[in-house]
Amino acid sequence: MSSNLDPAIAARLKRSPDGLVPAIAQQYDTGEVLMLGWMDDEALHRTLTTGRCTYWSRSRNEYWVKGDTSGHVQHVKSVALDCDADTVLVKVDQVGAACHTGARTCFDADVLPVSQ
């Protein structure tokens, strides 16, 4: 699939065999980790140019813009690649729940015990 992503950014990305990179959404002002989604080059391009997070749905095999159906929008504040360019960190201003379950974050329901 062709993409309008800046070729310099596309050249840096290290994608999975299916062409995706994990994208972590984090609340920009509190640091709260909200969710993990997947982006291909076009989803990243759309995220960078629209100011709204666009992800690739592996189950539906289509793009989805966070909040288009739920109203729980992610307004993009910044986007960064990690040191290996194999993960994207999107700092957002989350409106409403980030998780499809209706929870604020996808990471608060099943905290695992840690031995000290």
Side-chain angles (χ1 to χ4, degrees):
M1 170 182 264
S2 72
S3 170
N4 293 312
L5 183 63
D6 180 326
I9 297 170
R12 293 180 58 202
L13 288 176
K14 293 182 185 148
R15 300 163 196 81
S16 66
D18 53 1
L20 302 173
V21 294
I24 300 166
Q26 180 181 38
Q27 179 63 34
Y28 82 101
D29 54 355
T30 66
E32 179 182 30
V33 176
L34 300 170
M35 60 171 278
L36 179 133
W38 295 91
M39 292 184 180
D40 65 2
D41 289 21
E42 183 60 21
L44 181 55
H45 166 72
R46 293 179 189 188
T47 298
L48 291 168
T49 58
T50 66
R52 299 259 319 272
C53 281
T54 300
Y55 299 98
W56 176 255
S57 171
R58 297 178 301 166
S59 60
R60 295 188 310 263
N61 214 30
E62 66 184 14
Y63 295 104
W64 58 281
V65 179
K66 184 68 174 168
D68 271 2
T69 57
S70 67
H72 300 162
V73 178
Q74 291 176 340
H75 298 285
V76 176
K77 297 294 187 176
S78 68
V79 180
L81 295 176
D82 76 337
C83 59
D84 296 321
D86 63 0
T87 304
V88 176
L89 176 63
V90 186
K91 293 190 178 183
V92 301
D93 190 10
Q94 177 71 48
V95 176
C99 188
H100 70 279
T101 65
R104 168 78 181 160
T105 172
C106 295
F107 293 101
D108 64 354
D110 198 12
V111 177
L112 305 176
V114 177
S115 297
Q116 298 293 325

Coordinates of all heavy atoms in Angstrom, one line a residue, residues 40-111:
D40 N 0.5 1.6 10.5 CA 1.4 1.4 9.4 C 1.8 2.8 8.9 O 1.5 3.8 9.6 CB 0.7 0.6 8.3 CG -0.5 1.3 7.7 OD1 -0.9 2.4 8.0 OD2 -1.2 0.7 6.8
D41 N 2.5 2.9 7.8 CA 3.0 4.2 7.4 C 1.8 5.2 7.2 O 1.9 6.4 7.5 CB 3.8 4.1 6.1 CG 5.1 3.4 6.3 OD1 5.3 2.7 7.3 OD2 6.0 3.6 5.4
E42 N 0.7 4.8 6.6 CA -0.4 5.7 6.3 C -1.1 6.1 7.6 O -1.4 7.3 7.7 CB -1.4 5.0 5.3 CG -2.5 5.9 4.9 CD -2.1 7.2 4.2 OE1 -1.0 7.3 3.7 OE2 -2.9 8.2 4.2
A43 N -1.2 5.2 8.5 CA -1.8 5.6 9.8 C -1.0 6.6 10.5 O -1.5 7.6 11.1 CB -2.1 4.4 10.7
L44 N 0.4 6.4 10.4 CA 1.3 7.4 11.1 C 1.2 8.8 10.3 O 1.1 9.8 10.9 CB 2.7 6.9 11.1 CG 3.7 7.8 11.7 CD1 3.4 8.2 13.1 CD2 5.1 7.1 11.7
H45 N 1.1 8.7 9.0 CA 1.0 9.9 8.2 C -0.3 10.7 8.6 O -0.3 11.9 8.8 CB 1.0 9.6 6.7 CG 0.5 10.8 5.9 ND1 1.3 11.9 5.7 CD2 -0.7 11.0 5.2 CE1 0.6 12.7 4.9 NE2 -0.6 12.2 4.6
R46 N -1.4 10.0 8.7 CA -2.7 10.6 9.0 C -2.6 11.2 10.5 O -3.2 12.3 10.7 CB -3.8 9.6 8.9 CG -4.1 9.1 7.5 CD -5.2 8.1 7.4 NE -5.3 7.5 6.1 CZ -6.3 6.7 5.8 NH1 -7.3 6.4 6.7 NH2 -6.4 6.2 4.6
T47 N -2.0 10.5 11.4 CA -1.8 11.0 12.7 C -1.0 12.3 12.8 O -1.4 13.2 13.5 CB -1.2 9.9 13.6 OG1 -2.0 8.7 13.6 CG2 -1.0 10.4 15.0
L48 N 0.0 12.3 12.0 CA 0.9 13.5 12.0 C 0.2 14.7 11.3 O 0.5 15.8 11.7 CB 2.2 13.1 11.3 CG 3.2 12.2 12.0 CD1 4.3 11.7 11.0 CD2 3.7 12.8 13.2
T49 N -0.6 14.4 10.4 CA -1.2 15.5 9.6 C -2.6 16.0 10.0 O -3.0 17.1 9.6 CB -1.2 15.2 8.1 OG1 -1.9 14.0 7.9 CG2 0.3 15.0 7.6
T50 N -3.3 15.1 10.7 CA -4.7 15.5 11.1 C -4.8 16.0 12.5 O -5.8 16.6 12.9 CB -5.6 14.3 10.9 OG1 -5.3 13.3 11.8 CG2 -5.6 13.8 9.4
G51 N -3.8 15.6 13.4 CA -3.9 15.9 14.8 C -4.8 15.0 15.6 O -5.2 15.2 16.7
R52 N -5.3 13.9 14.9 CA -6.1 12.9 15.6 C -5.4 11.5 15.4 O -4.9 11.3 14.3 CB -7.5 12.8 14.9 CG -8.3 14.1 15.0 CD -9.4 14.1 16.1 NE -10.1 12.9 16.3 CZ -11.2 12.6 15.7 NH1 -11.7 13.4 14.8 NH2 -11.9 11.4 15.9
C53 N -5.4 10.7 16.4 CA -4.8 9.4 16.2 C -5.5 8.5 15.3 O -6.7 8.3 15.4 CB -4.7 8.7 17.6 SG -3.3 9.3 18.6
T54 N -4.8 8.0 14.3 CA -5.3 7.0 13.4 C -4.6 5.7 13.6 O -3.3 5.7 13.6 CB -5.2 7.4 11.9 OG1 -5.9 8.7 11.8 CG2 -5.8 6.4 11.0
Y55 N -5.3 4.6 13.7 CA -4.6 3.3 13.9 C -5.1 2.3 12.8 O -6.0 2.6 12.1 CB -5.1 2.7 15.3 CG -4.7 3.5 16.5 CD1 -5.6 4.4 17.1 CD2 -3.4 3.5 17.0 CE1 -5.2 5.2 18.1 CE2 -3.0 4.2 18.1 CZ -4.0 5.1 18.7 OH -3.6 5.9 19.7
W56 N -4.3 1.2 12.7 CA -4.7 0.1 11.8 C -5.3 -1.0 12.7 O -4.7 -1.4 13.6 CB -3.5 -0.4 11.0 CG -3.9 -1.6 10.2 CD1 -3.6 -2.9 10.4 CD2 -4.6 -1.5 9.0 NE1 -4.1 -3.7 9.4 CE2 -4.7 -2.9 8.5 CE3 -5.2 -0.5 8.2 CZ2 -5.4 -3.2 7.4 CZ3 -5.9 -0.8 7.0 CH2 -6.0 -2.2 6.6
S57 N -6.5 -1.3 12.4 CA -7.2 -2.4 13.1 C -6.8 -3.7 12.5 O -7.2 -4.0 11.3 CB -8.7 -2.2 13.1 OG -9.3 -3.4 13.6
R58 N -6.1 -4.5 13.3 CA -5.7 -5.8 12.7 C -6.9 -6.8 12.7 O -7.0 -7.6 11.8 CB -4.6 -6.4 13.7 CG -3.4 -5.6 13.7 CD -2.3 -6.2 14.6 NE -2.8 -6.2 16.0 CZ -2.3 -6.9 16.9 NH1 -1.2 -7.6 16.7 NH2 -2.8 -6.9 18.2
S59 N -7.9 -6.6 13.5 CA -9.1 -7.5 13.5 C -10.0 -7.1 12.4 O -10.6 -8.0 11.7 CB -9.8 -7.5 14.8 OG -10.2 -6.2 15.2
R60 N -10.2 -5.8 12.1 CA -11.1 -5.4 11.1 C -10.4 -5.1 9.7 O -11.1 -4.9 8.7 CB -11.9 -4.1 11.5 CG -12.8 -4.4 12.7 CD -13.7 -3.2 13.0 NE -12.9 -1.9 13.1 CZ -12.5 -1.3 14.2 NH1 -12.7 -1.9 15.4 NH2 -11.9 -0.2 14.2
N61 N -9.1 -5.1 9.8 CA -8.3 -4.9 8.6 C -8.7 -3.6 7.9 O -8.9 -3.5 6.7 CB -8.5 -6.1 7.6 CG -7.3 -6.4 6.8 OD1 -6.2 -6.1 7.3 ND2 -7.5 -6.8 5.6
E62 N -8.7 -2.5 8.7 CA -9.1 -1.2 8.2 C -8.5 -0.1 9.2 O -8.2 -0.4 10.3 CB -10.6 -1.0 8.0 CG -11.3 -1.0 9.4 CD -12.8 -1.0 9.2 OE1 -13.3 -1.2 8.0 OE2 -13.6 -0.8 10.2
Y63 N -8.5 1.1 8.7 CA -8.0 2.3 9.5 C -9.2 2.7 10.4 O -10.4 2.5 10.0 CB -7.6 3.4 8.7 CG -6.4 3.2 7.8 CD1 -6.5 2.9 6.5 CD2 -5.1 3.1 8.4 CE1 -5.4 2.6 5.7 CE2 -4.0 2.9 7.7 CZ -4.1 2.6 6.3 OH -3.0 2.3 5.6
W64 N -8.8 3.1 11.6 CA -9.9 3.7 12.5 C -9.3 4.9 13.2 O -8.1 4.9 13.6 CB -10.5 2.7 13.5 CG -9.5 2.0 14.4 CD1 -8.7 1.0 14.1 CD2 -9.3 2.3 15.8 NE1 -8.0 0.6 15.2 CE2 -8.3 1.4 16.2 CE3 -9.8 3.3 16.6 CZ2 -7.8 1.4 17.5 CZ3 -9.3 3.3 17.9 CH2 -8.3 2.3 18.4
V65 N -10.0 6.0 13.2 CA -9.6 7.2 13.9 C -10.3 7.1 15.3 O -11.5 7.0 15.5 CB -10.1 8.5 13.2 CG1 -9.7 9.7 13.9 CG2 -9.5 8.5 11.8
K66 N -9.4 7.2 16.3 CA -9.9 7.1 17.7 C -10.9 8.2 18.0 O -10.7 9.3 17.8 CB -8.7 7.2 18.7 CG -9.1 7.0 20.1 CD -9.4 5.6 20.4 CE -9.7 5.4 21.9 NZ -10.3 4.2 22.2
G67 N -12.1 7.7 18.4 CA -13.2 8.6 18.7 C -14.2 8.9 17.7 O -15.3 9.4 18.0
D68 N -14.0 8.4 16.5 CA -15.0 8.6 15.4 C -16.3 8.0 15.7 O -17.4 8.5 15.4 CB -14.5 8.1 14.0 CG -13.7 9.2 13.3 OD1 -13.5 10.3 13.8 OD2 -13.3 8.9 12.1
T69 N -16.3 6.8 16.4 CA -17.6 6.2 16.7 C -18.0 6.4 18.2 O -19.1 6.5 18.5 CB -17.6 4.7 16.4 OG1 -16.5 4.1 17.1 CG2 -17.5 4.5 14.9
S70 N -17.0 6.5 19.1 CA -17.2 6.5 20.5 C -17.3 8.0 21.0 O -17.9 8.2 22.1 CB -16.1 5.8 21.3 OG -14.9 6.5 21.1
G71 N -16.7 8.9 20.3 CA -16.6 10.3 20.8 C -15.4 10.5 21.7 O -15.1 11.6 22.2
H72 N -14.7 9.4 22.0 CA -13.5 9.4 22.9 C -12.3 9.7 22.1 O -11.4 8.9 21.8 CB -13.4 8.2 23.7 CG -14.6 7.9 24.5 ND1 -14.9 6.6 25.0 CD2 -15.6 8.7 25.0 CE1 -16.0 6.7 25.7 NE2 -16.4 7.9 25.7
V73 N -12.1 11.0 21.7 CA -11.1 11.5 20.8 C -9.7 11.6 21.5 O -9.6 11.9 22.6 CB -11.5 12.8 20.3 CG1 -10.5 13.4 19.3 CG2 -12.9 12.7 19.6
Q74 N -8.7 11.3 20.7 CA -7.3 11.6 21.1 C -6.8 12.7 20.2 O -6.5 12.6 19.0 CB -6.4 10.3 20.9 CG -6.8 9.2 21.8 CD -6.0 7.9 21.6 OE1 -5.5 7.7 20.5 NE2 -6.0 7.1 22.6
H75 N -6.6 13.9 20.9 CA -6.0 15.0 20.2 C -4.5 14.9 20.4 O -4.0 14.9 21.5 CB -6.5 16.3 20.8 CG -8.0 16.5 20.7 ND1 -8.5 16.9 19.5 CD2 -9.0 16.4 21.6 CE1 -9.9 17.0 19.7 NE2 -10.1 16.7 20.9
V76 N -3.8 14.9 19.2 CA -2.3 14.6 19.2 C -1.6 15.9 19.7 O -1.8 17.0 19.2 CB -1.8 14.2 17.9 CG1 -0.3 14.1 17.8 CG2 -2.5 12.9 17.4
K77 N -0.7 15.7 20.7 CA 0.2 16.8 21.1 C 1.6 16.7 20.6 O 2.2 17.7 20.3 CB 0.2 16.9 22.7 CG -1.2 17.2 23.3 CD -1.6 18.6 22.9 CE -2.9 18.9 23.7 NZ -3.3 20.3 23.4
S78 N 2.1 15.4 20.5 CA 3.4 15.2 20.0 C 3.5 13.7 19.6 O 2.8 12.9 20.1 CB 4.5 15.5 21.0 OG 4.5 14.6 22.1
V79 N 4.5 13.4 18.7 CA 4.7 12.1 18.2 C 6.2 11.9 18.2 O 7.0 12.7 17.7 CB 4.1 11.8 16.8 CG1 4.4 10.4 16.4 CG2 2.6 12.1 16.8
A80 N 6.7 10.7 18.8 CA 8.1 10.5 18.8 C 8.4 9.0 18.5 O 7.5 8.1 18.8 CB 8.7 10.8 20.2
L81 N 9.5 8.7 17.9 CA 10.0 7.4 17.7 C 10.9 7.0 18.9 O 11.6 7.9 19.4 CB 10.7 7.2 16.4 CG 10.0 7.5 15.1 CD1 10.9 7.4 13.9 CD2 8.8 6.5 15.0
D82 N 10.9 5.7 19.3 CA 11.9 5.3 20.3 C 13.3 5.2 19.6 O 13.4 5.4 18.4 CB 11.5 4.0 20.9 CG 11.6 2.8 20.1 OD1 11.7 2.9 18.9 OD2 11.7 1.7 20.7
C83 N 14.3 4.9 20.4 CA 15.7 4.8 19.9 C 15.9 3.9 18.8 O 16.8 4.1 18.0 CB 16.6 4.6 21.1 SG 16.3 3.0 21.9
D84 N 15.1 2.8 18.7 CA 15.3 1.8 17.7 C 14.3 2.1 16.5 O 14.4 1.3 15.5 CB 15.0 0.4 18.2 CG 16.0 0.0 19.2 OD1 17.2 0.3 19.1 OD2 15.5 -0.7 20.2
A85 N 13.5 3.1 16.6 CA 12.5 3.4 15.5 C 11.5 2.2 15.3 O 11.1 2.1 14.1 CB 13.2 3.9 14.3
D86 N 11.3 1.4 16.3 CA 10.3 0.3 16.1 C 9.1 0.5 17.0 O 8.2 -0.4 17.1 CB 11.0 -1.0 16.4 CG 11.5 -1.2 17.8 OD1 11.4 -0.3 18.6 OD2 12.1 -2.3 18.1
T87 N 8.9 1.6 17.7 CA 7.7 1.9 18.5 C 7.5 3.4 18.4 O 8.4 4.2 18.4 CB 7.9 1.5 19.9 OG1 8.3 0.1 20.0 CG2 6.7 1.8 20.8
V88 N 6.2 3.8 18.3 CA 5.8 5.2 18.3 C 5.2 5.6 19.6 O 4.4 4.8 20.1 CB 4.8 5.4 17.1 CG1 4.3 6.9 17.1 CG2 5.4 5.1 15.8
L89 N 5.5 6.7 20.1 CA 4.9 7.3 21.3 C 4.1 8.5 20.9 O 4.7 9.4 20.4 CB 5.9 7.6 22.4 CG 5.4 8.3 23.6 CD1 4.4 7.4 24.4 CD2 6.5 8.8 24.5
V90 N 2.8 8.4 21.1 CA 1.9 9.5 20.8 C 1.4 10.1 22.1 O 0.7 9.5 22.8 CB 0.7 9.1 19.9 CG1 -0.1 10.3 19.4 CG2 1.2 8.3 18.7
K91 N 1.8 11.4 22.3 CA 1.2 12.0 23.5 C 0.0 12.8 23.1 O 0.0 13.5 22.1 CB 2.3 13.0 24.1 CG 3.5 12.3 24.7 CD 4.4 13.1 25.5 CE 5.5 12.3 26.1 NZ 6.4 13.1 26.9
V92 N -1.1 12.5 23.8 CA -2.4 13.0 23.4 C -3.1 13.7 24.6 O -2.8 13.5 25.7 CB -3.3 11.8 22.9 CG1 -2.6 11.1 21.8 CG2 -3.6 10.8 24.0
D93 N -4.2 14.4 24.2 CA -5.1 14.8 25.2 C -6.4 14.0 24.9 O -7.1 14.1 23.9 CB -5.5 16.3 25.0 CG -6.3 16.9 26.1 OD1 -6.5 16.2 27.2 OD2 -6.8 18.0 26.0
Q94 N -6.6 13.0 25.8 CA -7.6 12.0 25.7 C -8.9 12.6 26.2 O -9.0 13.1 27.3 CB -7.3 10.8 26.5 CG -8.3 9.7 26.5 CD -8.5 9.0 25.2 OE1 -7.5 8.6 24.6 NE2 -9.7 8.9 24.8
V95 N -10.0 12.5 25.4 CA -11.3 12.9 25.8 C -12.1 11.6 26.1 O -12.3 10.8 25.2 CB -12.0 13.7 24.6 CG1 -13.5 14.0 25.0 CG2 -11.2 15.0 24.3
G96 N -12.5 11.5 27.3 CA -13.2 10.3 27.7 C -12.3 9.1 27.8 O -11.1 9.2 28.0
A97 N -12.9 7.9 27.7 CA -12.2 6.6 27.8 C -11.3 6.3 26.7 O -11.6 6.6 25.5 CB -13.2 5.5 28.0
A98 N -10.1 5.7 27.0 CA -9.2 5.3 25.9 C -9.5 3.8 25.6 O -9.3 3.4 24.4 CB -7.8 5.5 26.4
C99 N -9.9 3.1 26.5 CA -10.1 1.6 26.3 C -11.5 1.3 25.7 O -12.5 2.0 26.1 CB -9.9 0.9 27.6 SG -9.9 -0.9 27.4
H100 N -11.5 0.3 24.9 CA -12.8 -0.1 24.3 C -13.8 -0.6 25.3 O -15.0 -0.7 25.0 CB -12.6 -1.1 23.2 CG -12.1 -2.5 23.7 ND1 -10.8 -2.7 24.0 CD2 -12.8 -3.6 23.9 CE1 -10.8 -4.0 24.4 NE2 -11.9 -4.5 24.4
T101 N -13.3 -0.9 26.5 CA -14.2 -1.4 27.6 C -14.9 -0.3 28.3 O -15.8 -0.5 29.1 CB -13.4 -2.2 28.6 OG1 -12.5 -1.3 29.3 CG2 -12.6 -3.4 28.0
G102 N -14.5 1.0 28.0 CA -15.1 2.1 28.6 C -14.2 2.6 29.8 O -14.5 3.7 30.4
A103 N -13.1 2.0 30.0 CA -12.2 2.4 31.1 C -11.3 3.6 30.6 O -11.0 3.7 29.4 CB -11.3 1.3 31.6
R104 N -10.8 4.4 31.5 CA -9.9 5.5 31.1 C -8.7 5.0 30.4 O -8.2 5.6 29.4 CB -9.6 6.3 32.4 CG -8.5 7.3 32.2 CD -8.9 8.5 31.6 NE -7.8 9.5 31.4 CZ -7.8 10.4 30.6 NH1 -8.8 10.7 29.9 NH2 -6.7 11.2 30.5
T105 N -8.1 3.9 30.9 CA -6.9 3.3 30.3 C -7.1 1.8 30.2 O -7.8 1.2 30.9 CB -5.6 3.6 31.2 OG1 -4.5 2.9 30.7 CG2 -5.9 3.3 32.7
C106 N -6.3 1.3 29.2 CA -6.4 -0.2 29.0 C -5.5 -0.9 30.1 O -5.5 -2.2 30.1 CB -5.9 -0.5 27.6 SG -7.0 0.1 26.3
F107 N -4.8 -0.2 30.9 CA -3.8 -0.8 31.8 C -4.1 -0.7 33.2 O -3.2 -0.8 34.1 CB -2.4 -0.2 31.5 CG -1.9 -0.5 30.1 CD1 -2.0 0.4 29.1 CD2 -1.3 -1.8 29.8 CE1 -1.5 0.1 27.8 CE2 -0.9 -2.0 28.5 CZ -1.0 -1.1 27.6
D108 N -5.4 -0.7 33.6 CA -5.6 -0.6 35.1 C -6.5 -1.7 35.6 O -6.6 -1.9 36.8 CB -6.3 0.7 35.4 CG -7.7 0.9 34.8 OD1 -8.1 0.0 34.0 OD2 -8.4 1.9 35.1
A109 N -7.0 -2.6 34.8 CA -7.9 -3.7 35.2 C -7.2 -4.9 35.7 O -7.7 -5.7 36.5 CB -8.9 -4.0 34.1
D110 N -6.0 -5.2 35.2 CA -5.4 -6.5 35.5 C -3.9 -6.3 35.9 O -3.0 -6.7 35.2 CB -5.5 -7.4 34.3 CG -5.3 -8.9 34.6 OD1 -5.2 -9.2 35.8 OD2 -5.1 -9.7 33.6
V111 N -3.7 -5.7 37.1 CA -2.4 -5.5 37.6 C -1.8 -6.8 38.1 O -2.5 -7.4 39.0 CB -2.3 -4.4 38.6 CG1 -0.9 -4.2 39.2 CG2 -2.9 -3.1 38.0

